Amino acid sequence: MRSYRVPSLPALVALLAAAVLIVVGTETATAASVIGHAARPAPAGTTAAPARAPITCPDGEPYNVRNYGATGNGSTSDTGAINRAIDAAAGAGGGVVQFPPGTYRSAGSIHMKSNITIRLDSGSTILGSPNDDYDPPESNPNDEYQDYGHSHFHNAMIWGDRLSNLCFTGSGVIDGGGNLITGNPDSGEADKIISLTRCEGLNVNGITLRRGGHFAMLTNACTNISSDRLRVDTVSDRDGWNVINAQNVTITNADISANDDALAFKSDWALGRTYDNGHVTVTDSKLSAGCCNALMFGSETCGDFTDYRFERITINGSNKSGLGMVSMDGTVISDVHYKDIAMTNVRSAIMEKVGTRRRCGDGPGVGRIENITYENVTSSGQSSNNFTATLWGESGASNRIRNVTFTNVDLTVPGGNGCMGTGVPSNDPGNYNPNSIGTRPSYGWYIHNAHDIKFVDSSVQFVSNDCRPAVIANTGSGVSFERFTAERGSGSPFDMGFQSITGYCVANSTDTGGGALRVSATGGSTQACTPVPGNRLEAENATISQGVVEFNHAGFTGTGFVNYTNVAGSYVEFTVNAAQAGNVTLTFRFANGTTANRPMDITVNGVLASDELAFPGTGAWTTWSTATVTTTLNAGANTVRATATTANGGPNLDHLALPA
């Protein structure tokens, strides 16, 4: 019989803190504000971010594994001593299990428990063993829905299930030592370093995972994950970190080098149900993948994904996708935003695909991908047999890719392809890899079954002459290119091809020599491009007081918009640099899904320029309009502030535009 202990005082404090819920109104007319942040009901098709329990790593006098019999000599199995130290700490309500300098051979599985910090001091290593004494894989009736490695969790160096408040800290190493299996393991063999399922609160800071077998780390159905300065080196094995069925994840300063997928977000059926996924941020990280994908959604995609932000990420090497996103098993992937991404030596820079594998136990339909942005993304140094950047939706109107915006996305590809037909390439709808689609008839971008796709201030060019067009869009609507630059190959029939696209446009765009782009269109219709301001300041990059950056309503520019808190006095302040003093027209782009006007005072350098400028209802939060005011700017830096004057707060503010 399992015994249960009363939690320690620190654990009780953490539980009480987790119970505190702060609710803030924003778009609705009900006013409330707390320290400048806001929350609103989730839009249709998404889930609101769950309340985050604080991740408090257990502290205090450490349980030194040497005091429980560990030798640290690199040859004697220390697994028993390690588990005794963990049991002792857990029995006291939680604590720190310390590994001082030394090499601790783990010839069997280490069993994690709740409220445990594994602290790896500098010079310490937990090392895998070839003795084949690891725990056997548990049975799983859901094996058929995902690969073996995703379906079994106990055959690992370290594993735990249904735990809370887990931490791995320090500057030491956990090394499989070349003893972990990259395929399906036999009895006693392990294929993972860290395997955690159904956990609440995980912190991984500073440690290094090396030679991880199939997975250096696999987390499934874990929520409230934070990681800083994690290093993974499993280039001789397979995957780095698979984050599966996860919500509330923050990863900073990661350095992950893998042979297979480096950092992958997935949702499978291994635990016999779907899970919501999202509210994830990954920043300031480095990724590389030998054979496969660097930063990936899928291929396992049973539950929906929403609210992901990837910023300031460097990718060096990927033989499949640098930025990959597939919906293979009925999932909806929405509100994903990439910003400041630099890629080199990736075979497929950007790929989005909707497929029809439908490998989940709930009889899923076909999914879709929507509301995705890419800003300040570069890719160069690709191998000669690269795959054209691709958006590939399915044929059903509700299964397509829609509302994807590329801003300052510049791709340099190898080129070198000869002339070919411009028909739709072959496709295996059950395969997620970039090679599942045949050779694309365009070298820069191929777009198929997609709606509302926008390119702004972006470009494609090649290293070696390519006879294919730069871009082909086939079947869909609302495909636009504003200030787009494309290199022209000698012998190419045209530069931009639109096949059965309703409402396409190309404006203010040229080839790399400054000439007009040649457009070929069949079976569709043109439309006027929505003007894109030449001097636009995004609200999400401005100074915000009592408001929050969001991106859950389609049609915004940049990477989001500011949702004002429902109080008078909430504001957004821009810094506007003017080459010379003079009168200018300021244009504010906004949405107001209510029927009530939400006026704002506009001040320039602290002086009122417009008293309660009107921001009337626009009919929906996805319907955007503009409000203008003419004022005088000084030469140099100016501050422009838009301040709400009523208890309803301001509208959703997208950007401030000035004349080019």
Side-chain angles (χ1 to χ4, degrees), residues 571-615:
Y571 69 79
V572 175
E573 182 176 280
F574 302 87
T575 299
V576 178
N577 290 302
Q580 59 187 18
N583 290 338
V584 297
T585 298
L586 305 178
T587 301
F588 297 89
R589 189 170 188 261
F590 72 96
N592 181 356
T594 74
T595 58
N597 177 33
R598 294 192 170 188
M600 295 199 289
D601 285 346
I602 309 301
T603 58
V604 177
N605 299 322
V607 178
L608 189 65
S610 179
D611 182 13
E612 295 198 329
L613 180 66
F615 290 83

Side-chain angles (χ1 to χ4, degrees), residues 44 265 293 298 323 421 434 442 454 476 502 526 541 656:
F265 295 90
N293 306 287
L323 303 178
S442 50
K454 180 183 294 184
T502 302
T526 186
N541 298 326
L656 168 63

Side-chain angles (χ1 to χ4, degrees), residues 29 57 129 150 170 180 193 251 265 288 315-316 326 373 404 478 501 506 521 557 560 617 627 647:
C57 290
S129 170
H150 290 80
L180 304 188
I193 291 179
I251 299 171
F265 295 90
S288 69
I315 296 173
N316 182 12
V326 297
T373 65
V404 183
I501 299 294
V506 179
T557 61

